[in-house]
Amino acid sequence: MPHARLDPDPRNVPAGRQPLQPGDQTTSLRESLDALTLLMEQVAPGMRASVLLMDDDGVTLRHGSAPHLPEEYSRQIDGLQIAPNAGSCGTAAWRRERVIVTDISQDPLWADYRALAQPFGLAACWSTPILDDEGTVLGTFAMYYDEPRAPNEGDIAFAETATLLARNILVRSRTADALLARTQTAERLAAALRESEARFRTMAEAIPVQVWTARPDGLLDFVTSSTAAYFGRSTDDLIGRGWLDIVHDDDVERATAAWQRSIESGEPYEVEFRLRCADGAYRWQLVRANPVFAPSGSVARWFGCTVDIDHSKKLEAALDDALADARNANRAKAEFLAMMSHELRTPLNAINGYAQLMLEGIPNPPTEGQRNYLNRITRSQEHLLSLIEAVLTHAKMEAGKVSYRLEEVTTREVIDIVDPLTAPQREARGIVLDCKACNMDLVLHGDREKIVQILLNVLSNAAKFTPPGGRITISTDFNAPGMAEISVSDTGVGMSPAEVDIVFEPFVQFDNALSRENRGTGLGMPISRDLARGMGGDLIATSTKGNGSTFTLILPLAETAPARDA
């Protein structure tokens, strides 16, 4: 790499850039980054350096420094969202690895940004992500050229050096920001502690709760007069350990044990217990105390308050009773639906039976139009029966009426069943099923029928939400001692974190163009998870929007299952 004489003259900074005002953190960071990029440009003639900074949201790149890039270009890429195909910098931050684009006019990574770069004569761009010690992306360092160009070993080493220098600048800036924030917090705390005792007492008497303070050893040394009046005592009666005299006998041990733990650990105190009030009645109180620490780190004083929550406790008890009634009613509903299984299935089966007889020409051969209608009746009956079966299964599980026949089951057995059942759905969309990472000889302890039902639901869902030409992968692993897992991963549309949180909730359906036909009840996943848990396992989901989903069935291993290293 050719070297040039360093020129520290500030007059070489491009015209039109606003001078930075010294003295604040942002200015200091900008000055440091400008000095770095100018230095790198002088060392590598013909190169234009750029630093983009990662925003707090973790997905947006902001302008940091680009002294010789066109201002209009820098303005247009300010706010660039990182993505798999977002030019050199956006892609480097997404991949967390260096991205070399030797010809912007041809490289597909620049398809959406080529029109921004070409009017300014930008032909090549090499970008390296700036990572901290934890691997968090802080930004990117980019090297632009006005002609197509590929880097040599010296260029790569140069980019590494520049990126390391940029990283040191950004880490130092963040450290300074954090130190400033801590200093300001400490100053505010010190100012609060300097408030006069008289002002505190005035405020304590004015607020509508019972206020008190205690020494580091837990003995009360101050109680407001309004607090003493509320409990029908004098302030002297409550000082020290006098407050224990008004605690309900059944609550003394619990209240004092928690108070002792806070005194010893310095952690905040928060306990609910009953205290005798001025009218002689015991009322529930919420008692809290927070420590104030001395510079040495030891507790200097405790500030506490006591709030009457007796009315809330009574409402809480009433709510608990109402919830118990609701659970009983829901259980009765579930038991009723479970018992309705036969009554709901019988007429539907009759409809299907008569329709099949008519399709077979009994008593008379149907016309082509009648055959079309009969086929529609049959399809509707089958769909309605599947919906009723799902609702009834969910009701049975809520009523605790699902039984399990636990035995030794191999993964080969269940996959040999679910593969042909889901094959038509996959083949219709050209979706590939990959089982190469699946141990077919894994021996599980579970209900064969229930395991098949779970995997059938998961595989059907994967096919439903995977675009044509996608891939579904089944793999196995060991989850924990005595437990195994079967994972089904797809290359589908994926789910957002909010959707992952509710995917196992009953009757939840996600609106997606791939799944608008033949929508079900939204009970497949909740039922599958409940069945897995009923066999001593679980069903969990992980997903990234746009990058597919993985559903993992966890089940106990049978005693004869092969050892992990086998």
Side-chain angles (χ1 to χ4, degrees), residues 97-114:
E97 62 183 28
R98 182 182 298 108
V99 171
I100 303 298
V101 173
T102 59
D103 189 347
I104 290 175
S105 67
Q106 301 297 323
D107 199 293
L109 294 181
W110 279 80
D112 296 334
Y113 301 93
R114 191 172 292 124

Side-chain angles (χ1 to χ4, degrees), residues 63-86:
H63 174 72
S65 175
H68 288 101
L69 283 179
E71 289 186 6
E72 178 61 20
Y73 175 75
S74 295
R75 184 188 65 80
Q76 292 187 50
I77 66 170
D78 186 21
L80 169 69
Q81 300 286 303
I82 68 173
N85 296 283

